[in-house]
């Protein structure tokens, strides 16, 4: 896990003392068979109800199958099943526990289904450290809790949204002597993902041991935001891929957060430079029936799948690095209604920027 230089050396001894214990409690708490049975039951109920918002039409599914890219690195799949009623607060914690379970199983594919921490994604050595540490320590589900982000000051809440999305949550993992891991979790179309991790302890940042958890987390949000910006600048590679960026745009629209929507779309460099609050209304209204971006389908369509006339037009307008992202409307029985987004790397190369968007029947784009 990522730690900072200010961590006490004593913490290393404490962590070493529990390395002989296994993660039994974690695996008992969240068995894969239980998750599968819940998903199966919920999918069955959706089929019986015939809810088009939950089950895609045959035409829509057929189109998506035809457009399926061979490279799935940026492709995200629609999550059909909503969280059981009354358990939504538990799901960010479940995401962290599922990540731990994948680490304990030394399963990198499963890990990346539940987590996308940029520093780990870009460093195989860091992923190896995660596997080793997870196998050496006990993870107790009762030590995890969801932090109430409403207790943060306004500036910190805004920075949390700008960095991780308006649906981002902070999960606290209690360690020892008041130390905590912070796990940042946000929603994408393929489910919740752990997107950052850090560690805090009482007395950090020269605040004194009487500092509140809200104060400690507020400073750590700023630090992790700075770290991510630095990593992107150093690597000349965006932290969020195009599908994730569009997902965060829909998060902001759903929350009616115009500032985050504007920033995520690329600011003055993007399509919505100017009167962005008015431009967001269309997407806010579209998202109202959906509690989360987990309930819609957003995917990257390879350039070669588009009609030649459109490819020529976009190459002329945006160069050759553009990506075609589609948010499909699951309520459309014909299967072709959706919103496309043309995403390109920003001028500094550290994020993706929305250059064009249109909501329409998109059938002609694939002929």
């Amino acid at each position: 896990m990522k730690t900072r230089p200010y961590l006490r050396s004593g913490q290393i001894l404490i962590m070493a003392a529990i390395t002989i214990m296994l993660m039994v409690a974690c695996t008992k708490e969240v068995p894969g068979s239980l998750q599968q049975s819940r998903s199966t039951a919920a999918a069955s109920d959706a089929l019986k109800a015939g809810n088009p918002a939950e089950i895609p039409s045959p035409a829509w599914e057929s189109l998506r199958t035809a457009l399926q890219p061979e490279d799935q690195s940026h492709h995200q799949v629609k999550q059909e099943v909503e969280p059981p009623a009354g358990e939504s607060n538990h799901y960010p914690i479940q995401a962290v526990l599922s990540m731990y379970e994948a680490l304990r199983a030394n399963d990198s594919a499963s890990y990346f289904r539940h987590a996308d921490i940029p520093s780990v994604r870009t460093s195989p050595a860091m992923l190896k450290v995660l596997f080793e540490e997870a196998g050496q320590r006990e993870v107790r589900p009762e030590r995890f809790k969801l932090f109430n982000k409403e207790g943060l000051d306004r500036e910190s809440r805004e920075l949390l949204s700008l960095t991780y999305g308006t649906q981002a949550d902070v999960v606290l993992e209690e360690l020892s002597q008041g130390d905590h891991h912070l796990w940042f979790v946000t929603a994408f179309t393929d489910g919740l993902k752990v997107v950052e991790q850090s560690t805090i302890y009482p007395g950090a940042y020269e605040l004194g041991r009487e500092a509140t958890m809200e104060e400690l987390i507020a400073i750590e949000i700023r630090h992790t935001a700075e770290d991510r910006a630095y990593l992107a600048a150093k690597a000349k590679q965006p932290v969020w891929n195009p599908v994730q960026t569009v997902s965060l745009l829909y998060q902001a629209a759903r929350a009616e957060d115009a500032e985050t929507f504007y920033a995520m779309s690329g600011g003055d460099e993007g399509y919505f430079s100017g009167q962005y609050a008015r431009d967001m209304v269309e997407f806010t209204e579209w998202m109202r029936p959906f509690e989360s971006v987990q309930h819609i389908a957003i995917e990257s369509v390879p350039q070669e799948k588009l009609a030649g006339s459109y490819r020529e037009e976009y190459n002329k307008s945006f160069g050759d690095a553009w990506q075609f992202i589609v948010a499909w409307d699951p309520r459309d029985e014909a299967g072709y209604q959706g919103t496309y987004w043309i995403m390109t790397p920003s001028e500094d190369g550290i994020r993706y920027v929305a250059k064009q968007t249109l909501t329409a029947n998109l059938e002609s784009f694939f002929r």
Side-chain angles (χ1 to χ4, degrees), residues 305-308 310 314 324 340 356 358 360-367:
K305 297 291 186 179
L306 297 178
Y310 287 105
Y314 298 147
F324 193 86
Y340 78 73
Q356 185 171 299
L358 176 68
N361 185 308
L362 303 179
E363 183 177 6
S364 65
F365 285 79
F366 309 110
R367 289 177 175 174

Side-chain angles (χ1 to χ4, degrees), residues 150-163:
E150 296 304 316
L152 295 168
D153 60 272
R154 180 178 178 181
E155 181 180 355
S156 298
R157 291 199 307 272
E158 290 175 350
L159 183 57
L160 180 67
S161 295
L162 288 169
T163 307

Side-chain angles (χ1 to χ4, degrees), residues 90-297:
H90 177 71
Y91 266 50
I93 297 175
Q94 178 67 64
V96 179
L97 293 175
S98 296
M99 177 204 68
Y100 265 123
E101 188 174 3
L103 290 172
R104 181 175 178 269
N106 203 34
D107 186 341
S108 59
S110 179
Y111 165 79
F112 283 112
R113 283 197 297 271
H114 300 294
D116 188 10
I117 299 173
S119 58
V120 176
R121 184 204 320 146
T122 58
S123 173
M126 289 195 66
L127 181 59
K128 182 179 179 181
V129 169
L130 285 183
F131 283 133
E132 291 174 352
E133 290 187 355
Q136 293 174 349
R137 55 185 298 261
E138 179 185 21
V139 177
R140 298 181 182 178
E142 66 272 14
R143 290 187 173 180
F144 291 78
K145 68 177 181 179
L146 190 64
F147 174 73
N148 180 12
K149 60 185 179 181
E150 296 304 316
L152 295 168
D153 60 272
R154 180 178 178 181
E155 181 180 355
S156 298
R157 291 199 307 272
E158 290 175 350
L159 183 57
L160 180 67
S161 295
L162 288 169
T163 307
Y164 302 108
T166 56
Q167 287 185 233
D169 283 301
V170 180
V171 174
L172 295 176
E173 178 187 0
E174 182 183 1
L175 301 174
S176 60
Q177 299 186 26
D179 297 356
H180 288 82
H181 279 327
L182 301 184
W183 299 99
F184 296 87
V185 181
T186 197
F188 297 114
T189 190
D190 59 346
L192 296 178
K193 283 189 185 295
V194 179
V195 292
E196 194 57 87
Q197 179 271 335
S198 194
T199 307
I200 59 174
Y201 67 92
Y205 319 114
E206 300 181 356
L207 291 178
R209 294 189 64 85
E210 70 279 2
T212 66
M213 185 64 71
E214 287 76 11
E215 290 175 307
L216 294 170
I217 291 177
I219 295 181
E220 193 57 27
I221 288 172
R222 187 175 75 240
H223 284 176
T224 57
E226 292 170 352
D227 287 348
R228 290 167 73 87
Y230 173 78
L231 180 65
K234 182 179 179 180
K236 290 295 182 182
Q237 181 178 345
V239 170
W240 301 120
N241 68 47
V243 172
Q244 291 172 333
T245 304
V246 173
S247 297
L248 296 177
L249 282 170
Y250 281 107
Q251 280 193 24
R254 179 67 177 82
E256 300 184 56
D257 184 343
E259 181 179 357
T260 298
F261 183 88
Y262 178 62
M264 290 291 182
S265 67
D268 291 337
E269 191 180 338
Y271 184 71
F272 298 106
S273 59
Q275 298 296 321
Y276 57 89
R278 183 172 59 207
D279 293 332
M280 188 183 70
V281 171
E282 170 192 347
F283 307 102
T284 298
E285 292 299 319
W286 189 85
M287 280 296 296
R288 288 198 189 282
F290 309 105
E291 181 182 353
S292 167
V293 292
Q294 296 176 77
H295 305 148
I296 63 176

Side-chain angles (χ1 to χ4, degrees), residues 12-69:
I12 300 175
L13 297 177
I14 294 170
M15 295 297 294
I18 62 171
T19 57
I20 59 172
M21 305 182 72
L22 297 175
M23 298 166 63
V24 176
C26 177
T27 55
K28 287 184 178 180
E29 179 72 14
V30 287
S33 59
L34 177 58
Q35 295 179 23
Q36 183 178 2
S37 64
R38 284 180 177 171
S39 299
T40 303
S44 176
D45 292 342
L47 285 168
K48 292 176 182 177
N51 187 348
E54 295 300 325
I55 303 299
S57 68
W60 183 83
E61 188 63 35
S62 176
L63 176 62
R64 289 192 61 212
T65 301
L67 297 177
Q68 192 87 349

